[in-house]
């Protein structure tokens, strides 16, 4: 930021609308990096607002988003995608001229479609998507380091105020993220394969296993260490957020899902006809991708994700038997 | 073991055929728990034998499996499923009367089909499957605690010598495993959904992502933290082992895969027609399964598997750019 003082925070007032996992992580990271003089938090949930107060996540906590955004230089929308249009419409008149409106949604075309029409002239829309998260939800689940060593994708439309874009780059950079600019449409395609379809098939296999008659739920649980339990992590992600992702990135998800199913049917055929070489070749090729992800600093090299060892974990119990006590 | 001395090891000589991840973990656990006076190791790979010597995994290391099993009270087959028939035929004449032959294979009907016909009278077959593992392979990857807090499934046929079955229960119990007896056919069905199909769809999505034209490999790698990277772990498992699993549990895998695909197509239809409630209900139901797996001591409650934090990990790099230096 040419011309700004060394000790000057990046923003005077940052409003965070929605204080779940991502919103509360941003609040903590803004505080830790002294990026704002005032953090104003808004959330429709009274329980969330109480927690935001309890954890001291902001200087002010509001039930009405319009109050939070008044005089804000940066407004971060951290609500499920399906709530963006209503929130944008509601805060519209309270937005300060020159303010930046940004977000953290997993689909960028939908955000532009839902938010842009509500913004008055002189307010800059810089949509963003930090590719980071955990399967936990709510203000308590957030932590400032969530974005460290992760990518954040910004998808401003051509002609967006360059200073606003630079400020958002600096904002995410301060959290330890690397920032990339991308076309909204391309973003939605990339995330369909790296995030949306993986979540869908994880949700799906957990549902399939839950529906079986020949295998009991207790058996699924006991023998989940054979691979299944890995899928249950992302299948435990926030249901509202993920419903909205699939409803708002339909085209790209259906395209990638079609390819996934096509490949799976071919694999199924190889199993039926005993084509061992086909299987072996695929299984060898996939190993190299993981190596590349580890080399890029996006994954741990430790076996089994460096998962907490059973020694430190809970005692093994048989889910078929009622608990003692 | 009624009548045995307190300090008497469970077996005099244990032969381990195949010293990969599972075989070498067993060797280490046998040593740590003083379950045998002599551990005899056999492996067809010279490199594996050299590592077994280097790490002191056994008292003797053999290129010929028949030499290892001579005088052994327990023979553990720890080779890929496709090698069982040849190994069993080769060691047959060298087996001691009264010896137990067991294994660690992921499909139990195939093991009985391939091994039983080769065993002389008076040798007891007690097939077994420890539901444990990591994505790493080879003698170096093994560790004694691998089986702790995990289930081991034994699938002896009706009429198997009861003392032999009890000894195998004690063997796995000493490693910290809980032991369950199961019909081989039911085992293969349970593992198809808890292990085999999860591996197949993980391999498949990594393959699909690798084949895209519109999304670069570098983009897949960079944004893998959105969910994709979870799948790459099990898609990095040993290709030979997994080829053999799919070729040897065809019936159950095709049955479970059929259900998975059917459910996925229904989900795809819900996305196309914007049926948000269907999606939300499934996504809510799957959360409870993870909770049950955590409560059963089969998974960590820590967010993101308690994955190594980016702070301790490698520096973030852009896979599209060549490395410095």
């Amino acid at each position: 930021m040419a011309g700004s003082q060394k000790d000057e925070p990046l923003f005077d007032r940052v409003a965070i609308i929605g204080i779940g996992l991502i919103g509360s992580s941003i609040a903590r990271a803004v505080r830790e990096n002294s990026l704002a003089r005032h953090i104003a938090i808004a959330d429709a949930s009274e329980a969330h607002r109480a927690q935001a107060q309890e954890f001291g996540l902001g200087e002010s906590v509001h039930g009405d988003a319009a109050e939070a955004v008044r005089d804000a230089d940066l407004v971060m929308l951290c609500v499920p995608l399906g709530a963006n249009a209503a929130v944008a419409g509601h805060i519209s008149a309270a937005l300060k001229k020159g303010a930046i409106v940004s977000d953290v949604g997993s689909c960028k075309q939908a955000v532009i479609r839902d938010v842009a029409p509500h913004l008055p002239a002189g307010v800059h829309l810089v949509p963003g998507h930090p590719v980071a998260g955990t399967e936990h939800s709510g203000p308590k689940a957030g932590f400032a380091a969530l974005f460290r060593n992760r990518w954040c994708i910004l998808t401003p439309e051509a002609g967006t105020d360059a200073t606003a874009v630079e400020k958002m780059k600096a904002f995410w950079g301060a959290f330890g993220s690397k920032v990339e600019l991308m076309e909204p449409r391309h973003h939605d395609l990339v995330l369909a394969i790296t995030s949306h379809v993986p979540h869908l098939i994880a949700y799906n296999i957990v549902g399939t296993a839950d529906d079986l008659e020949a295998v009991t739920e207790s058996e699924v649980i006991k023998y989940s260490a054979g691979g299944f339990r890995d899928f249950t992590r992302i299948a435990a992600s926030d249901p509202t957020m993920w419903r909205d992702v699939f409803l708002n990135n339909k085209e790209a998800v259906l395209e990638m899902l079609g390819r996934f199913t096509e490949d799976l049917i071919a694999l199924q055929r190889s199993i039926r006809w005993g084509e061992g070489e086909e299987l072996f070749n695929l299984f060898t090729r996939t190993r190299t991708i993981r190596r590349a992800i580890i080399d890029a600093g996006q994954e741990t090299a430790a076996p089994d994700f460096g998962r907490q060892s059973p020694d430190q974990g809970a005692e093994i119990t048989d889910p078929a038997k009622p608990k003692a006590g």
Side-chain angles (χ1 to χ4, degrees), chain A residues 31-90:
Chain A
R31 174 70 44 91
E32 199 175 286
N33 294 285
S34 309
L35 297 186
R37 275 189 233 280
H38 186 109
I39 301 172
I41 290 167
D43 200 295
S45 148
E46 202 179 317
H48 276 195
R49 291 199 301 273
Q51 287 184 55
Q53 294 275 18
E54 188 192 334
F55 306 141
L57 296 181
E59 275 68 33
S60 62
V61 178
H62 310 263
D64 184 347
E67 280 175 29
V69 309
R70 213 173 297 279
D71 290 322
D73 311 285
L74 170 63
V75 175
M76 290 296 289
L77 302 175
C78 305
V79 295
L81 287 164
N84 273 329
V87 170
H90 181 72

Side-chain angles (χ1 to χ4, degrees), chain A residues 217-242:
Chain A
E217 191 181 298
S218 145
E219 287 172 327
V220 168
I221 292 165
K222 281 159 80 171
Y223 310 118
S224 61
F228 179 76
R229 66 177 172 159
D230 280 25
F231 294 75
T232 63
R233 186 184 81 78
I234 59 180
S237 301
D238 187 61
T240 307
M241 172 192 157
W242 282 97

Side-chain angles (χ1 to χ4, degrees), chain A residues 83-156:
Chain A
N84 273 329
V87 170
H90 181 72
I91 63 175
S92 180
L95 289 167
K96 185 168 95 169
K97 197 173 159 69
I100 299 171
V101 172
S102 187
D103 80 309
V104 296
S106 304
C107 313
K108 301 324 306 173
Q109 293 176 102
V111 169
I112 295 168
R113 176 197 69 201
D114 292 346
V115 175
H118 297 284
L119 302 188
V123 169
H124 312 295
L125 178 61
V126 185
H129 179 205
V131 185
T134 80
E135 70 278 22
H136 292 197
S137 312
K140 204 176 164 182
F143 54 99
L146 180 61
F147 311 111
R148 207 172 294 163
N149 274 8
R150 293 285 160 263
W151 292 86
C152 180
I153 303 170
L154 301 179
T155 63

Side-chain angles (χ1 to χ4, degrees), chain A residues 2-323:
Chain A
S4 70
Q5 292 296 109
K6 195 177 177 298
D7 299 315
E8 199 88 343
L10 192 57
F11 295 105
D12 204 54
R13 180 180 172 113
V14 170
I16 300 173
I17 316 302
I19 197 72
L21 168 68
I22 303 295
S24 74
S25 295
I26 290 175
R28 290 173 171 99
V30 167
R31 174 70 44 91
E32 199 175 286
N33 294 285
S34 309
L35 297 186
R37 275 189 233 280
H38 186 109
I39 301 172
I41 290 167
D43 200 295
S45 148
E46 202 179 317
H48 276 195
R49 291 199 301 273
Q51 287 184 55
Q53 294 275 18
E54 188 192 334
F55 306 141
L57 296 181
E59 275 68 33
S60 62
V61 178
H62 310 263
D64 184 347
E67 280 175 29
V69 309
R70 213 173 297 279
D71 290 322
D73 311 285
L74 170 63
V75 175
M76 290 296 289
L77 302 175
C78 305
V79 295
L81 287 164
N84 273 329
V87 170
H90 181 72
I91 63 175
S92 180
L95 289 167
K96 185 168 95 169
K97 197 173 159 69
I100 299 171
V101 172
S102 187
D103 80 309
V104 296
S106 304
C107 313
K108 301 324 306 173
Q109 293 176 102
V111 169
I112 295 168
R113 176 197 69 201
D114 292 346
V115 175
H118 297 284
L119 302 188
V123 169
H124 312 295
L125 178 61
V126 185
H129 179 205
V131 185
T134 80
E135 70 278 22
H136 292 197
S137 312
K140 204 176 164 182
F143 54 99
L146 180 61
F147 311 111
R148 207 172 294 163
N149 274 8
R150 293 285 160 263
W151 292 86
C152 180
I153 303 170
L154 301 179
T155 63
E157 293 191 282
T160 303
D161 180 73
T163 308
V165 175
E166 284 308 311
K167 277 200 159 192
M168 290 315 295
K169 280 184 174 177
F171 184 76
W172 287 105
F175 296 171
S177 294
K178 274 210 171 180
V179 178
E180 191 96 341
L181 294 186
M182 214 182 267
E183 290 282 324
R185 191 186 164 83
H186 188 63
H187 166 278
D188 290 356
L189 200 63
V190 171
L191 270 290
I193 190 69
T194 58
S195 178
H196 306 170
V197 169
H199 274 77
L200 195 73
I201 63 182
Y203 280 122
N204 190 63
I205 193 163
V206 177
T208 302
D210 193 34
D211 284 340
L212 296 173
E213 317 86 22
V215 177
T216 68
E217 191 181 298
S218 145
E219 287 172 327
V220 168
I221 292 165
K222 281 159 80 171
Y223 310 118
S224 61
F228 179 76
R229 66 177 172 159
D230 280 25
F231 294 75
T232 63
R233 186 184 81 78
I234 59 180
S237 301
D238 187 61
T240 307
M241 172 192 157
W242 282 97
R243 175 200 63 200
D244 287 1
V245 167
F246 295 114
L247 296 179
N248 286 284
N249 196 20
K250 199 181 284 195
E251 193 192 338
V253 166
L254 291 177
E255 155 72 11
M256 291 301 171
L257 201 49
R259 286 169 179 258
F260 171 84
T261 309
E262 191 175 297
D263 291 344
L264 190 62
I265 299 289
L267 216 43
Q268 179 172 327
R269 192 175 187 282
S270 292
I271 291 172
R272 193 180 300 279
W273 293 96
E275 296 166 354
E277 208 181 318
E278 303 288 321
L279 302 175
F280 184 84
N281 290 345
L282 171 65
F283 301 172
T284 304
R285 186 153 65 96
T286 51
R287 265 194 156 173
T288 62
I289 307 260
R290 181 163 180 84
R291 191 69 250 167
I293 291 174
I294 293 168
D295 289 346
Q298 292 302 305
E299 178 60 291
T300 171
D304 205 13
F305 305 118
R307 233 186 202 117
Q308 190 182 28
S309 110
D311 292 319
Q312 305 157 269
E315 256 312 283
I316 188 170
T317 65
D318 187 337
K321 298 192 180 114
K323 277 184 193 166

